[in-house]
């Protein structure tokens, strides 16, 4: 019986973040979706318009005996630039914002402390702008967006943006990567 927990984060295009987390041993599933907005059950097209308030996010189900929430945060903050306001690489708009959507007080406190430590360390030229909110509702993205990188590894966007994130995880978190 695994000790399954859930983390929900957004840092740009969900295809890229999803691909990075799928590399980790202890991750049971990663689901692309939308959260943090004001429209019920939005479509990809609606979220891309920037009018729903939602961010593209991933929901990571993981074995807490194999990975800690802090390790989830470490991977998340490694694979995206948390100092970019409403953008990641070529993707611009509030739907691509850096956000941690917490599942309870412990996660909220851990995320707050993690970001404070990042700012204190001064590892970035600019301040971390990652939002921290309690998750209200997660909407699963359409099926064509699930496991997108695995299904489309030769897609130009994936080779330019998802592949480097996957490689970064494989290199930096070698001991945590699924063989």
């Amino acid at each position: 019986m695994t000790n399954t927990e859930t983390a929900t984060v957004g840092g740009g295009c969900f295809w890229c973040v999803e691909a990075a987390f799928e590399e980790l041993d202890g991750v049971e599933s990663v689901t692309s979706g939308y959260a943090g907005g004001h429209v019920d059950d939005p479509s990809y097209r609606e979220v891309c318009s920037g009018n729903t308030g939602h961010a593209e996010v991933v929901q990571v189900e993981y074995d807490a005996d194999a990975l800690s929430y802090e390790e989830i945060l470490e991977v998340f903050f490694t694979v995206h630039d948390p100092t970019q306001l409403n953008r990641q690489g070529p993707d611009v708009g509030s739907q691509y914002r850096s956000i941690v959507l917490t599942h309870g007080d412990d996660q909220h406190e851990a995320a707050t402390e993690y970001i404070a430590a990042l700012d204190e360390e001064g590892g970035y030229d600019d301040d971390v702008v990652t939002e921290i909110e309690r998750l209200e509702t997660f909407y699963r993205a359409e099926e064509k967006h699930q496991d997108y990188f695995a299904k489309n590894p030769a897609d130009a966007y994936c080779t330019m943006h998802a592949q480097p994130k996957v490689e970064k995880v494989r290199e930096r978190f070698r001991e945590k990567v699924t063989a």
Side-chain angles (χ1 to χ4, degrees):
M1 192 78 152
T2 60
N3 180 15
T4 302
E5 292 192 19
T6 304
T8 304
V9 296
C13 176
F14 48 31
W15 299 340
C16 299
V17 179
E18 178 190 64
F21 276 109
E22 287 179 336
E23 292 293 307
L24 298 173
D25 187 34
V27 168
E28 296 171 6
S29 68
V30 186
T31 306
S32 289
Y34 318 111
H38 53 77
V39 173
D40 290 340
D41 200 20
S43 69
Y44 180 73
R45 186 174 302 268
E46 289 171 319
V47 172
C48 285
S49 76
N51 296 324
T52 68
H54 289 287
E56 288 191 15
V57 298
V58 296
Q59 197 155 75
V60 181
E61 300 283 335
Y62 64 99
D63 179 353
D65 293 330
L67 285 171
S68 69
Y69 184 68
E70 288 74 15
E71 288 172 313
I72 295 289
L73 292 174
E74 184 180 4
V75 170
F76 172 63
F77 283 101
T78 296
V79 300
H80 87 293
D81 182 350
T83 68
Q84 298 264 318
L85 183 61
N86 295 332
R87 76 172 301 144
Q88 284 296 304
D91 300 318
V92 179
S94 63
Q95 66 271 30
Y96 301 112
R97 67 190 180 272
S98 177
I99 188 168
V100 175
L101 294 139
T102 60
H103 299 250
D105 293 339
D106 290 346
Q107 284 189 4
H108 196 87
E109 184 177 324
T112 301
E113 290 174 4
Y114 195 92
I115 290 171
L118 285 177
D119 278 334
E120 190 174 304
E121 290 168 7
Y124 297 102
D125 292 335
D126 297 311
D127 289 340
V128 172
V129 296
T130 305
E131 297 175 10
I132 303 172
E133 295 178 11
R134 295 191 192 285
L135 178 67
E136 290 191 23
T137 306
F138 172 83
Y139 297 101
R140 179 184 169 90
E142 297 84 346
E143 191 56 39
K144 67 182 176 184
H145 298 293
Q146 306 304 325
D147 299 310
Y148 191 86
F149 177 67
K151 295 175 190 171
N152 302 281
D155 176 272
Y157 183 93
C158 288
T159 58
M160 291 180 65
H161 302 288
Q163 186 65 42
K165 293 175 189 298
V166 168
E167 290 171 5
K168 189 180 275 188
V169 167
R170 288 177 181 166
E171 181 180 310
R172 179 144 180 209
F173 301 99
R174 186 174 296 124
E175 72 287 348
K176 293 283 185 188
V177 172
T178 303

